Amino acid sequence: MTNLNQLKEDLVTANRILADKNVLDSFGHVSVRHPDNPERFLMSRARAPNCVELGDIMEFTIEGNIVGAEHGKPYSERFIHGALLEARPEVMAVVHNHSPNVVSFSVAKKQCFCAVMHMAAPIGRDVPNWDVRDKFGDNTNLLVTNMEMARDLAKALGPRTMALMRGHGCVVVGKSLREVVFTSIYAEVNAQILGKAMAMGEVMFLSDGEIAAHTRGRAGFTLERGWEDWCRRVNRPYYPQAWDRGPGFSRSDK
């Protein structure tokens, strides 16, 4: 199996995992940068993520144009992925989702969406909330259907890991497919916890130091542990990668 084929298999798995974790429903999508051409990316045809199969994976240019075989209708919001990959050369994978508890924070005017749980640390303390109305008016259906809109969203995301999309959902970026899936799952968990904590009173967010320490430790040992488990849960093959530990990983279990 070539690396490209294995990556496509993992992309199918990413769709299934995110659907299983209620991050993607019948809508939303995940992409990964092409391993041999950074100006292209891979993503399924427009299909419910839980139904995605290997034959659904298509190749696109950064501008969202189809390359090679056209397996079906592409997602109308594929431009989100192209624009984020274009703006952030270090980013290898993107998720756009309508994660239900996260959406709540996209319409809350005064409550920030910040990390309160250690597993969600990489989302940080300053998650921006992109509002399509600010530049494109109130006559859109809130979808991002061209590169102009997508590049405006990418500008709002800036160097961060995550951005909310008012009344719509969010985008999450990562340096690998495993990382972006991990962060997307725990962003939804973080939203659940934060909503419950707000009902109890004042909330304590993670500090900048705590966020930095946990983010440094986010490496193979953590990502592989989650990915292997999630593969088993959705009955997908697990292709191991390095189980290295990041420089911030706790060494208390020597």
Side-chain angles (χ1 to χ4, degrees), residues 89-164:
E90 83 282 10
V91 164
M92 293 295 123
V94 177
V95 170
H96 166 57
N97 68 68
H98 312 140
S99 184
N101 289 283
V102 171
V103 174
S104 299
F105 288 92
S106 78
V107 296
K109 288 187 175 181
K110 296 183 179 180
Q111 178 61 50
C112 75
F113 183 63
C114 305
V116 293
M117 180 194 183
H118 70 300
M119 300 293 274
I123 70 174
R125 292 171 56 89
D126 63 340
V127 177
N129 191 5
W130 180 74
D131 190 342
V132 67
R133 286 189 302 210
D134 290 343
K135 184 172 181 178
F136 302 99
D138 65 353
N139 60 347
T140 76
N141 60 3
L142 278 71
L143 301 185
V144 178
T145 55
N146 59 56
M147 284 299 286
E148 182 184 9
M149 299 172 80
R151 284 172 174 144
D152 194 58
L153 172 59
K155 183 178 179 180
L157 174 67
R160 305 172 187 86
T161 301
M162 178 179 182
L164 304 180

Side-chain angles (χ1 to χ4, degrees), residues 189-204:
V189 174
N190 190 82
Q192 296 175 35
I193 294 170
L194 180 53
K196 292 176 181 177
M198 288 166 53
M200 291 186 280
E202 187 176 357
V203 177
M204 293 184 291

